[in-house]
Amino acid sequence: ARIRKSNAMRTAMARSEDAVPTRADLERQKKVLASLHGHRWPIPAAVLRPESHCVIMVDTVSMLRELRRLELSKVIGIDLEYHRYRSYRGYTCLIQLSDGETTILLDTLRIPADDVADALRDMLLDPGVLKVFHGGDNDVKWLRRDFGLLCANVYDTQVAEAELGSSCAGLSELWTRYTHVRMGAAQKQAFQGSDWRTRPLSSAQQAYAAQDARLLPTICRRQLERLWTMAKAKAAAKAKAGSGGGGGG
């Protein structure tokens, strides 16, 4: 029997005041999730073989063409690095986008905001592409505020992990739980607090930023597998309870 999308899956598909879904949006989203069940994901091999991972720094308008490498991807991890210190509003310094094999680091300090918006708008609004964030409320807000960009079909790994009953849903914990990558909380906090305005970015900053986005599709895939298993178990239990309720004649 076909399993309907569970409440946990609906909750994991992050909503925000910036993009209120219509009924048609939700129906498209349901079809995308269904198509991902059993989908052949290229991610695990990339996790096991880091040398196969391609990272591209895009810091000029002409290099925005590199985003075409992600055109056929159905699942894209997205993360932003932001600067707030001594700034009233703060601003986005870097946008990372990855399908798990190719990661684009988009330098938003060197590329005009209008060009960034033009390059990303179609991808972010495409309901056929699942955009994966972790704790993405601020990311979605910053994309709208700094670039006028909205997102359709968003999945939040932090929300999904909470729905799976985990009390530890930080990104470094999810790396440990779902991938072969390990990073201590102190080390991750140091990178998060580093000055992302610095140009050129250090090789360590670039590696960290790329990994943040690169592992999101893997985490999403493995969470979806667990959510599907949970939904099937609940459906089976409900069917068993229903069949046991009938009385004999």
Side-chain angles (χ1 to χ4, degrees), residues 86-139:
R86 292 183 177 175
S87 172
Y88 179 70
R89 291 181 43 169
Y91 46 89
T92 304
C93 299
L94 194 71
I95 300 176
Q96 305 98 273
L97 307 102
S98 180
D99 62 3
E101 292 185 338
T102 298
T103 299
I104 304 294
L105 303 181
L106 192 54
D107 190 338
T108 55
L109 296 186
R110 289 183 168 173
I111 301 176
D114 287 346
D115 291 303
V116 172
D118 290 342
L120 296 181
R121 185 173 293 108
D122 289 347
M123 177 194 298
L124 295 183
L125 287 176
D126 187 346
V129 177
L130 188 65
K131 272 70 71 174
V132 184
F133 293 84
H134 179 81
D137 288 353
N138 282 334
D139 293 333

Side-chain angles (χ1 to χ4, degrees), residues 127-186:
V129 177
L130 188 65
K131 272 70 71 174
V132 184
F133 293 84
H134 179 81
D137 288 353
N138 282 334
D139 293 333
V140 171
K141 179 178 70 177
W142 294 332
L143 283 170
R144 180 177 184 181
R145 196 200 67 185
D146 291 353
F147 308 101
L149 291 168
L150 299 178
C151 295
N153 199 14
V154 173
Y155 179 99
D156 193 315
T157 56
Q158 187 176 60
V159 176
E161 195 64 18
E163 288 296 320
L164 287 166
S166 175
S167 59
C168 296
L171 189 53
S172 57
E173 286 83 12
L174 299 194
W175 286 359
T176 301
R177 193 167 298 140
Y178 294 109
T179 77
H180 299 274
V181 176
R182 303 289 182 270
M183 178 177 284

Side-chain angles (χ1 to χ4, degrees), residues 25-81:
D25 290 333
L26 293 174
E27 285 302 313
R28 283 193 296 267
Q29 187 179 80
K30 182 177 178 181
K31 290 178 181 178
V32 171
L33 273 179
S35 70
L36 292 175
H37 183 50
H39 175 68
R40 182 183 177 276
W41 299 61
I43 313 307
V47 173
L48 291 171
R49 295 182 286 104
E51 67 276 6
S52 68
H53 180 222
C54 175
V55 180
I56 302 171
M57 173 62 76
V58 173
D59 56 7
T60 66
V61 172
S62 63
M63 285 191 70
L64 288 170
R65 64 180 181 274
E66 297 292 344
L67 286 165
R68 296 173 189 167
R69 293 170 180 259
L70 302 178
E71 281 183 350
L72 300 179
S73 303
K74 294 300 182 184
V75 183
I76 296 179
I78 302 176
D79 188 47
L80 277 69
E81 303 302 340

